[in-house]
Amino acid sequence: MFKRRSGAAGDGFARILANTGWLLGGKGVGAVLSLAYLAIVTRTLGVEDFGRFALVLSAANVIKTLVSFDSWQIVVRYGQPHLASGNGDALNRVLRFCILIDLGSAVAGGLIAAAIILLLGDLLEIGPDMGWQVWAFCMVMMITIRSSPTGVLRLFDRFDSAAFAETMIPVGRMIGAGVALAVMPDIRGFLIAWAFAELLCALSYWRLALKVGRGRIGHWRAGRALDARTENPGIIGFLTATNLQTSLSSIGQQVAVLIVGGFVGPTGAGLYRLANQLANSLTKISSLLSRSIFVELSRTSSHGKEALSALFRRTNRLALVAGAVIIALILTIGHPLLGLIAGQDFLPAYPLLLMLGVSACIDLIGVSYRPLLMATDRAGLSLRITFLSTLLLLGLQSALLPLYGTKGAAMANIAASLAGFAMMGLASRRAMRS
């Protein structure tokens, strides 16, 4: 029995490595292209206008994460039993239920974006002539929510197809940035470029998801989508917890840019966002591992606690090694990379890059904690921990920014990451013992 469970854990770990490898391959292409288009944007706009551009992007991302649900987790979590039993129609109802949620999120996001532009346009330094363009960009962000097709690809272990679709973001931004540089080298032009990239990515995801799921995801008119609520007990609670948790995690980072902008202006916000974006690029493996780990932990949980514990320990060791390597990269190549990409004017962002990189690596080392809690039906506990760490982040930023400026904001990230790591780690270990 133990060998069978260990084998299940070993197979799951092998799939995590393979699936993360596919995602990293796509992100590797994206990382190279992101260095190029970031160089174009920062050198074209300069520090102050890049700060305004960053504030608009952050506001749009805050809205998107606030209203969107991680419905891909619903497709994976509740679609697997239907897939295993061959009940394609029930799987289709789960998928259509998630699509309805995504559409509702888009409508809500559009209304919130309009309200923010009308009420907070002066704070974001959006002039009356740019209001409609910014709202249109926000609407593109809303209608390109692609969580449902992502769930289909992950349910069928087609991480290779997902990696290809994801590369359309950097490819689209690179193409768009080049066109904007030639035709419209201002904030408006780069917003159009970013919107084009989102549309290209969403269309790629849906095309591939429908191709992969053809013949296996049932009929599109088989029953009502809302029937998924009664057919899948606990789906509403799981959906709510994943939405709030994702929103809190992402909003904490995006609101941070807005808080920095409110305290130190667009220039400080631009430096902070650039450092944060580079740090996240170096630690992108965190989110990629998290996606792969959740899928496999959900599967392995049915093989018993020994297999789940073995897989959990192996993913922890992998994350620890990855975190150490990335911190070493930031220390050795971070400063010259920053100067190469953005130019001398952005070099004051290096201390921020270093601190935000350390914070992101702490999150990386604990990357398996949240998927474990979600896979073992402890989504509510994970949500409470995320809420506390996000509250700590925003509170510390508000306290430290007046004292230390943007460095204080970065210090707050480290403190919040350490607190979240400790709480998630304790909860995960208790989950494994119970």
Side-chain angles (χ1 to χ4, degrees):
M1 178 68 73
F2 179 75
K3 288 183 179 179
R4 182 179 66 81
R5 289 174 177 173
S6 297
D11 292 343
F13 187 72
R15 283 194 295 268
I16 287 174
L17 291 178
N19 291 334
T20 304
W22 279 114
L23 293 174
L24 275 175
K27 291 298 181 181
V29 174
V32 173
L33 291 176
S34 69
L35 298 181
Y37 66 67
L38 266 178
I40 292 173
V41 177
T42 52
R43 291 175 182 270
T44 302
L45 296 180
V47 177
E48 188 168 348
D49 273 353
F50 179 76
R52 292 191 180 93
F53 180 67
L55 290 174
V56 172
L57 292 182
S58 294
N61 281 316
V62 165
I63 297 168
K64 184 174 182 177
T65 53
L66 179 65
V67 301
S68 63
F69 293 77
D70 254 359
S71 51
W72 73 266
Q73 294 188 27
I74 302 295
V75 176
V76 171
R77 177 77 169 78
Y78 291 93
Q80 280 188 17
H82 300 312
L83 182 64
S85 64
N87 192 347
D89 288 345
L91 170 59
N92 190 278
R93 287 190 287 275
V94 171
L95 177 59
R96 279 185 284 142
F97 177 69
C98 292
I99 293 172
L100 285 178
I101 292 168
D102 290 344
L103 291 174
S105 299
V107 173
L111 295 174
I112 294 172
I116 288 178
I117 291 169
L118 287 173
L119 299 175
L120 302 177
D122 292 339
L123 178 63
L124 296 175
E125 299 194 20
I126 298 172
D129 58 327
M130 273 195 65
W132 281 108
Q133 289 91 339
V134 172
W135 183 81
F137 172 75
C138 290
M139 280 307 302
V140 171
M141 293 285 285
M142 297 306 112
I143 64 175
T144 54
I145 294 172
R146 47 194 173 268
S147 196
S148 296
T150 301
V152 173
L153 294 177
R154 290 174 186 167
L155 178 64
F156 290 107
D157 271 330
R158 292 305 304 268
F159 281 74
D160 53 343
S161 296
F164 174 79
E166 200 66 32
T167 59
M168 293 301 104
I169 288 282
V171 168
R173 287 179 180 176
M174 186 68 240
I175 295 171
V179 173
L181 178 64
V183 178
M184 194 184 295
D186 55 18
I187 295 175
R188 187 180 295 110
F190 288 113
L191 286 178
I192 294 172
W194 262 234
F196 164 74
E198 294 290 334
L199 284 169
L200 184 62
C201 182
L203 290 172
S204 299
Y205 259 112
W206 272 113
R207 180 180 176 276
L208 291 169
L210 293 175
K211 181 180 178 181
V212 167
R214 184 180 297 128
R216 295 191 286 177
I217 56 175
H219 299 89
W220 291 93
R221 295 184 180 179
R224 300 184 311 146
L226 293 179
D227 291 342
R229 295 178 299 175
T230 54
E231 294 174 339
N232 303 275
I235 192 172
I236 298 298
F238 188 87
L239 178 71
T240 304
T242 54
N243 166 254
L244 291 175
Q245 186 162 271
T246 302
S247 297
L248 286 171
S249 299
S250 301
I251 286 173
Q253 296 301 319
Q254 300 297 336
V255 168
V257 179
L258 300 179
I259 291 176
V260 171
F263 274 99
V264 298
T267 299
L271 292 174
Y272 184 89
R273 181 177 175 85
L274 177 64
N276 193 47
Q277 190 163 348
L278 287 175
N280 286 336
S281 295
L282 290 172
T283 55
K284 204 70 177 180
I285 189 175
S286 176
S287 62
L288 304 184
L289 272 173
S290 179
R291 298 168 192 174
S292 303
I293 289 170
F294 174 75
V295 174
E296 293 306 324
L297 287 178
S298 295
R299 287 177 179 152
T300 308
S301 60
S302 63
H303 294 282
K305 187 178 294 184
E306 291 176 2
L308 187 64
S309 179
L311 180 59
F312 178 64
R313 287 195 301 270
R314 296 179 77 172
T315 55
N316 275 344
R317 289 194 292 268
L318 175 64
L320 181 62
V321 172
V325 170
I326 291 171
I327 287 178
L329 285 174
I330 293 173
L331 287 171
T332 53
I333 69 171
H335 191 272
L337 184 65
L338 185 63
L340 177 66
I341 294 171
Q344 297 294 316
D345 291 342
F346 285 86
L347 285 178
Y350 176 68
L352 304 178
L353 170 63
L354 185 59
M355 288 187 283
L356 292 172
V358 169
S359 172
C361 284
I362 294 170
D363 294 336
L364 168 60
I365 293 171
V367 70
S368 58
Y369 294 157
R370 183 174 299 162
L372 175 71
L373 295 177
M374 301 295 287
T376 55
D377 295 324
R378 290 174 172 81
L381 176 59
S382 180
L383 171 61
R384 290 193 293 274
I385 294 173
T386 303
F387 174 77
L388 289 175
S389 58
T390 302
L391 193 64
L392 179 63
L393 169 64
L394 299 180
L396 285 175
Q397 283 203 329
S398 299
L400 296 177
L401 261 167
L403 299 175
Y404 304 106
T406 51
K407 292 181 181 178
M411 295 176 197
N413 274 64
I414 294 176
S417 292
L418 284 171
F421 175 82
M423 290 187 288
M424 284 286 190
L426 180 62
S428 297
R429 283 167 176 77
R430 286 181 176 175
M432 293 308 303
R433 290 197 298 266
S434 62

